[in-house]
Amino acid sequence: MDTLGYIYNRGAANLRGRKSGTIGLVLCDVGNPFYSKLMLGIDEVIVDANVIAVLVNSANNPERQFRQIRQLREHGVDGLIICPAIGTPDTLLEETEKLNLPCVQVLRHVSPIKGDYVGPDYAEGTSLAVKHLIKHGRKKIVFLGGEPVHSAARERLEGFRKTLKRHNLEHDLIIQTNIQDLADYGNLPDLLASTNPPDAAICYNDMIAQSLIGYFLAHGKMPGRDFAIIGADNIPQAATSFPPLTTIVTDPVGVGRNAARLLLDRINAPSITSTRILVSGQLMIRQSCGGPIS
C-alpha cells in the first residue's frame, strides 16, 4: 500500500457510515491565547477518535457566526463546539437543532438552562479571589474590565458582588472598559486619586491585569505591596510578568477536553436532555496580590 501510494478514501467511508469524521469549532476571538489552550484540550480528545476540527472565527459577530454554522453544515461536519458571539440570541439552539447538528457551547452560553454547555465556574473562581483579598486585609476592591454582555461576564460579576456583600463590604465598584483597549482603565485613575481610594482590583482577564501592573509601575507603585491585582485565565505570561500575576485558573484545556467528550457522546447518542459541566475554579497565588504565596 505504501509503495503504491494508497490514500484512504475518507469520502467514500463517510458515505457508508453517514459521518464525516469532522467537527466545527466556532470561536469568537482566535487571536486570544486563551483559545489556543481550549483547542489543545479539544484536540487531545478528538485525535484519538480519528476526528479533525474545522476552525472558524466569528469575530464576535452573530450574523457572521450563523452564516459560518450553515457553511460548516454544508461541509458535512458531524457536530459543533461553539463559544457564542456577543449578542447571540437563544435561537442559536433552535438553529442547530433544525440543522440536525449536535452542539456544545463552551465558555459562554445563550441560555442558563437549555443546551449542552461546558465552562469554568466563573462565579466560584471570582469568589475565591475576593475572599483571598479580604483575608489579607484588602477592604475596597474594584472589578475592572468588560461589560456584562455575555454569560461569562455576568457570572464573574455575580461572584464578585455576592462575596463582597456577604462580608459587608462595598460591592458595586465595577468599572466597565473596552477589553480590546488594554489602556482603558475607565474611571479607576480618578478613584485612585480620591480621598478613599481602592486597594485592590480583580480584572476581567490576565491581559487587563498585566496592563494594570504596568500602569502602577509607571506611577512608582509596586503591585502586591501598594495595590493588589488579580487576573483571570492563567495564561502563560502571567507567571513571567513583574511581579508575577495572581490569577483565577479557568483551565481552558480541561474545558476543551470535557466539551470534546460531550460532543462525541452527542454525535454517537443524541439526547433531548441538556448536560452542563462546570470546571471548578481555582486561584493561582503569586506576588501581584500581596499576602503569602501558598
Side-chain angles (χ1 to χ4, degrees):
M1 290 168 64
D2 289 340
T3 302
L4 294 173
Y6 171 79
I7 299 295
Y8 179 68
N9 191 324
R10 175 68 62 182
N14 292 344
L15 289 174
R16 291 192 299 271
R18 297 188 178 181
K19 290 181 183 176
S20 67
T22 62
I23 62 170
L25 182 54
V26 186
L27 301 182
C28 52
D29 180 9
V30 296
N32 187 323
F34 182 84
Y35 291 102
S36 299
K37 295 289 187 181
L38 176 76
M39 289 187 285
L40 281 175
I42 293 169
D43 188 65
E44 283 181 19
V45 173
I46 66 172
V47 70
D48 291 332
N50 293 319
V51 170
I52 61 171
V54 179
L55 172 66
V56 296
N57 180 36
S58 73
N60 264 321
N61 183 319
E63 291 182 4
R64 171 172 165 163
Q65 174 184 264
F66 276 112
R67 191 164 62 248
Q68 290 169 329
I69 290 171
R70 294 187 187 101
Q71 289 171 333
L72 286 167
R73 191 67 183 102
E74 290 169 5
H75 284 277
V77 298
D78 299 322
L80 288 180
I81 294 175
I82 180 170
C83 177
I86 293 172
T88 300
D90 60 10
T91 52
L92 167 72
L93 304 176
E94 297 171 12
E95 177 77 8
T96 55
E97 188 175 343
K98 280 194 298 184
L99 293 171
N100 194 27
L101 200 56
C103 174
V104 174
Q105 303 163 91
V106 290
L107 308 177
R108 306 172 184 170
H109 52 77
V110 297
S111 166
I113 54 174
K114 293 193 301 182
D116 292 320
Y117 170 72
V118 181
D121 192 337
Y122 292 113
E124 175 59 21
T126 308
S127 179
L128 288 173
V130 171
K131 287 188 281 191
H132 179 80
L133 292 172
I134 293 171
K135 179 180 177 181
H136 296 290
R138 307 293 176 170
K139 297 186 181 301
K140 192 166 185 179
I141 306 168
V142 302
F143 187 95
L144 177 67
E147 300 179 23
V149 290
H150 52 67
S151 62
R154 291 190 292 270
E155 288 163 11
R156 284 179 169 99
L157 293 178
E158 177 189 1
F160 179 81
R161 288 192 178 103
K162 284 186 175 180
T163 308
L164 285 168
K165 283 183 77 172
R166 283 199 297 267
H167 288 82
N168 297 313
L169 293 174
E170 194 170 353
H171 58 275
D172 58 356
L173 290 173
I174 296 166
I175 301 173
Q176 297 181 1
T177 67
N178 176 5
I179 62 175
Q180 305 303 321
D181 180 3
L182 297 180
D184 180 8
Y185 305 112
N187 67 339
L188 180 60
D190 295 333
L191 290 176
L192 292 170
S194 68
T195 56
N196 183 24
D199 55 11
I202 296 173
C203 300
Y204 180 83
N205 62 29
D206 287 341
M207 292 185 289
I208 293 172
Q210 288 179 309
S211 177
L212 188 58
I213 283 176
Y215 174 88
F216 277 97
L217 291 174
H219 287 79
K221 303 290 186 181
M222 177 55 70
R225 183 192 66 198
D226 302 319
F227 190 90
I229 299 173
I230 295 180
D233 295 339
N234 195 31
I235 63 174
Q237 298 89 331
T240 58
S241 66
F242 177 78
L245 177 64
T246 295
T247 181
I248 301 163
V249 179
T250 47
D251 189 13
V253 175
V255 171
R257 288 193 198 105
N258 279 284
R261 292 187 190 111
L262 179 56
L263 181 60
L264 293 178
D265 287 345
R266 285 289 183 259
I267 291 170
N268 292 320
S271 172
I272 60 171
T273 61
S274 298
T275 296
R276 305 182 81 79
I277 301 171
L278 294 183
V279 178
S280 297
Q282 301 175 46
L283 193 63
M284 178 64 71
I285 302 170
R286 301 188 181 104
Q287 284 85 355
S288 72
C289 67
I293 309 302
S294 58

